[in-house]
Amino acid sequence: IDIAVQSKLLGAEQVGIFYRRGPERMGASRYEQEFAQTKGVGIRHWAAPVRVLVDGGRRATGVLFARTSESPDGTLQLTDETFIVEADIVFKAVGQTLALELEGETPERSAGKLLVDNEGRTSVPGIWAGGDCVASGEDLTVTAVQQGKLAAISIDRHLRAETAPAGARPTIDPAAEPPRS
């Protein structure tokens, strides 16, 4: 979503996202999908890339897609129906999955995403999280960066408290600029 929106904002005439399943199965949230569309990015579902077409082996000219369908057991099927989309630049996105295997406690989740407090702490002491693996907030890069900042402040506060001399009470101003190295 990010690269498609930025490409459009940087002046690309046409930008399209093609996804092999329906909108409800996309890793991008409904909010992200709608955001991209309001910025002029087209989204087509049920289309899997088969091959990038090139001119002389050097320059992209398009992408060959196969229409897809889903069997009753959820298996993705390529149909015999294909189509070509002209393109001079092609970006490939890869999916991601939260893979968190811990010995002992596992952080609490909701709909496959981690539950965190307002500082990014999970239910497991010593583990913080942010970005698109957490169940709260908008699914955007700027939100993930802010969550990372808040988690870093919380982690720093936690570490300083553990190493501070008895009676010391460290304070951190979340609005303060981080020290430059």
Side-chain angles (χ1 to χ4, degrees):
I1 296 289
D2 291 335
I3 197 166
V5 169
Q6 292 305 313
S7 295
K8 187 67 177 162
L9 293 174
L10 288 170
E13 289 179 29
Q14 290 185 325
V15 177
I17 294 173
F18 295 81
Y19 182 62
R20 66 191 182 281
R21 296 185 189 270
E24 69 286 344
R25 296 284 299 267
M26 281 187 82
S29 67
R30 182 65 79 183
Y31 175 84
E32 283 182 301
Q33 293 176 53
E34 291 171 3
F35 178 77
Q37 290 170 324
T38 65
K39 296 299 181 188
V41 175
I43 300 178
R44 286 184 63 181
H45 297 95
W46 303 107
V50 175
R51 181 172 59 248
V52 174
L53 307 174
V54 294
D55 179 20
R58 297 187 52 94
R59 188 180 72 85
T61 61
V63 179
L64 173 67
F65 287 92
R67 294 209 187 276
T68 59
S69 64
E70 203 168 65
S71 67
D73 69 356
T75 305
L76 186 69
Q77 306 289 320
L78 296 181
T79 69
D80 292 333
E81 187 179 349
T82 62
F83 62 97
I84 293 174
V85 175
E86 292 182 14
D88 54 5
I89 297 176
V90 178
F91 294 100
K92 178 182 178 184
V94 295
Q96 58 188 17
T97 303
L98 175 61
L100 183 61
E101 297 176 16
L102 301 173
E103 290 184 21
E105 287 187 81
T106 299
E108 290 180 36
R109 298 179 192 204
S110 174
K113 296 196 173 202
L114 299 174
L115 295 173
V116 296
D117 66 13
N118 62 353
E119 293 186 12
R121 291 181 297 232
T122 69
S123 60
V124 177
I127 297 180
W128 285 257
D132 56 5
C133 70
V134 301
S136 60
E138 297 172 337
D139 204 4
L140 298 171
T141 302
V142 294
T143 303
V145 170
Q146 177 64 10
Q147 290 170 341
K149 175 183 171 185
L150 295 175
I153 291 166
S154 178
I155 292 166
D156 183 65
R157 185 181 306 117
H158 173 77
L159 293 174
R160 287 177 189 265
E162 284 185 1
T163 59
R169 301 191 72 173
T171 59
I172 297 174
D173 178 4
E177 286 292 316
R180 302 213 188 270
S181 51

